[in-house]
Amino acid sequence: MSVVARLKLVFIAILVALTVVWLLSIPMEALTSGFWRLRNSLIYYSGILAIGCLSVAVILAARPVQVEGLLGGLDKFYRLHKWLGIAGALLSVFHWLCENAPRWAVQQGWLAPRPRPPVGAVADVPVGFDPFRDWRGIAGDLGEWGFYLLLVLVTLALWKKFPYRFFLPAHRLLSAVYLVLVFHSIILMDRSYWAQPAGPLLILLMMAGSVAAIISLLRRIGTARKAVGVIETLRFHEDNAVLDVGIRLTTAWPGHQAGQFAFVDFGGGEGAHPFTMTSAWQRDGRLAFSIKGLGDYTRGLPHQLFAGQSVVVEGPYGRFDFGGVRRRQIWIGGGMGISPFIAGLQAMGQRHIEGKVDLIYTTRAPAAAFIDAIRNLAEKAGVRFHLMIEQQDGRLDINRLEQMVPDWAEAGIWFAGPPAFGNALRSAMEARGFPPSQFHQELFDLR
């Protein structure tokens, strides 16, 4: 099973688990006793699904490395985080409609009003303070405004043109919105649910989500995995707009595997960005990154960074580590997807790792010095190096791959590069019977 298929399975399992505990927590007649009782049950159902999805999304946003192995790495489970965030927002819309649409229908005369208590019925007289009773009004109002803000912030998070320097604080604000929605859920949830199977699960999810949200608001995510260092070397390749950055760490670093990435904060208020490390760990406190000038921020780095500048590095993260059951491997790097493979070549050259490897590097912006450095590393590591310059060689496809590496079907495929490129290759391979579990793709899209 591929990692993406596993993530989809986890996503579905979360929705199914929440649905099952809801069904186990209500009397069956609640679904068959008329529209208004059914509507009441759907309000709670949609609310349980929404707060459950948002809770898991907030937990994953705190970067719990304990689940990286299960979910294939941080770059993979951030995709699950994104799906859960979108699902939570859409379910919140359904929750809001379940609450308000019937009222509109009654006002328009399309629906009979909800039956009222019989005349002369004696109402309970409130005694003492009860937050589940006395705070219902404020919980309802806060929940509604939190819902509106949730929709705005999720929309901004999905808008790729929204500047990254604004994306981080806006995304952090989602943690505060989540805490408001937790308060809304606790106060307005029917008390009968807390003694049913839904209660313990929701309490566990909301407690864990609240801790993660507070960690985010305090800017403490990844604190234990941060190291401080200084820029030691800088080299800019003008031909392909790639900046090589060498960093010497001055505080402890746990080490990393070739292919992993880290969040690097160069200062200036932009915040930390994720970059793949292009250096194998040599226990000397040095890290290297090759940064492609793709956006305003990365294009400006060659003019902003200088030797001796302080940096903060958080990591390592990811499971793109060239493991697996097949020693025969083919590495395919598209554009700056070559970064993890540079570290892989260094690791092979230093440790004399056994295994037959072909490295295919496809690029639209060839830089002679950059390519020569990769070729030299490949020679030292005993790796066959294939260069494809798209303007003259075309784009790599399954037929071209078969010509270059006839035994490709017997290898484990490791791909890093543009997602559409990787998806096309994977689909073509699977159409020829290649097992999805042997196609390892870096999903380096954390927004």
Side-chain angles (χ1 to χ4, degrees), residues 10-247:
V10 172
F11 175 73
I12 294 171
I14 291 170
L15 295 178
V16 170
L18 291 168
T19 299
V20 168
V21 296
W22 171 72
L23 287 172
L24 293 174
S25 302
I26 61 171
M28 285 300 100
E29 60 267 22
L31 304 178
T32 59
S33 300
F35 172 79
W36 288 103
R37 191 167 182 187
L38 175 61
R39 173 251 190 181
N40 192 59
S41 296
L42 289 177
I43 288 175
Y44 289 121
Y45 175 50
S46 56
I48 288 171
L49 285 179
I51 198 65
C53 287
L54 291 174
S55 295
V56 181
V58 171
I59 293 168
L60 292 179
R63 301 173 194 160
V65 293
Q66 297 83 356
V67 301
E68 274 202 299
L70 174 65
L71 300 179
L74 180 64
D75 59 313
K76 310 297 191 305
F77 75 63
Y78 259 37
R79 178 167 291 199
L80 178 60
H81 159 80
K82 180 178 178 179
W83 295 344
L84 288 166
I86 295 172
L90 293 177
L91 287 163
S92 296
V93 172
F94 180 58
H95 178 73
W96 185 85
L97 288 173
C98 286
E99 177 69 34
N100 292 285
R103 297 176 182 173
W104 298 337
V106 170
Q107 292 172 1
Q108 298 299 321
W110 301 335
L111 182 67
R114 177 165 39 187
R116 298 192 176 189
V119 178
V122 179
D124 293 333
V125 178
V127 178
F129 172 72
D130 182 353
F132 294 96
R133 179 194 66 224
D134 299 332
W135 287 351
R136 290 185 68 84
I138 189 172
D141 292 341
L142 287 176
E144 185 167 7
W145 285 106
F147 160 71
Y148 298 142
L149 191 52
L150 173 69
L151 294 186
V152 171
L153 293 175
V154 169
T155 301
L156 290 177
L158 296 174
W159 183 30
K160 295 293 186 179
K161 294 185 178 180
F162 188 58
Y164 190 83
R165 63 182 180 275
F166 300 133
F167 164 79
L168 283 180
H171 213 55
R172 191 176 295 118
L173 184 57
L174 275 169
S175 296
V177 172
Y178 169 76
L179 292 175
V180 168
L181 296 177
V182 167
F183 173 73
H184 170 85
S185 302
I186 291 173
I187 298 300
L188 294 184
M189 182 75 72
D190 190 294
R191 297 189 193 189
S192 64
Y193 280 89
W194 299 117
Q196 299 299 324
L201 179 59
L202 287 178
I203 290 172
L204 178 63
L205 288 176
M206 289 192 290
M207 285 181 62
S210 296
V211 170
I214 292 170
I215 290 173
S216 174
L217 290 171
L218 296 177
R219 303 189 180 187
R220 303 290 293 176
I221 290 179
T223 299
R225 303 178 67 82
K226 289 182 179 179
V228 177
V230 295
I231 295 176
E232 194 170 47
T233 60
L234 291 166
R235 183 182 183 185
F236 183 58
H237 302 273
E238 292 188 4
D239 293 344
N240 61 354
V242 172
L243 176 66
D244 291 335
V245 182
I247 295 173

Side-chain angles (χ1 to χ4, degrees), residues 246-394:
I247 295 173
R248 177 175 54 83
L249 298 175
T250 55
T251 60
W253 179 254
H256 62 271
Q257 299 293 321
Q260 290 189 295
F261 68 94
F263 291 88
V264 185
D265 187 351
F266 292 110
E270 177 71 16
H273 285 246
F275 300 110
T276 299
M277 288 170 279
T278 53
S279 57
W281 180 239
Q282 302 180 43
R283 302 180 184 275
D284 60 357
R286 287 179 168 81
L287 306 176
F289 299 88
S290 293
I291 302 172
K292 175 76 170 180
L294 296 174
D296 293 340
Y297 174 70
T298 50
R299 281 196 295 265
L301 288 179
H303 312 290
Q304 299 169 6
L305 304 186
F306 56 89
Q309 181 177 348
S310 295
V311 297
V312 178
V313 182
E314 178 198 332
Y317 294 107
R319 288 294 185 270
F320 195 81
D321 55 8
F322 314 114
V325 298
R326 296 187 176 183
R327 286 191 174 183
R328 176 71 174 103
Q329 294 187 356
I330 298 172
W331 298 352
I332 303 173
M336 279 318 297
I338 193 64
S339 295
F341 302 117
I342 295 175
L345 292 174
Q346 292 183 21
M348 288 191 69
Q350 293 166 6
R351 303 172 191 171
H352 306 289
I353 300 173
E354 295 184 3
K356 185 180 178 183
V357 176
D358 281 74
L359 170 61
I360 303 172
Y361 174 37
T362 71
T363 179
R364 296 178 181 175
F370 188 75
I371 293 171
D372 287 343
I374 298 172
R375 183 178 284 111
N376 290 336
L377 287 172
E379 290 178 0
K380 292 178 182 178
V383 171
R384 290 179 59 196
F385 178 63
H386 310 264
L387 174 65
M388 289 189 66
I389 300 173
E390 292 191 14
Q391 293 90 329
Q392 62 189 45
D393 300 319

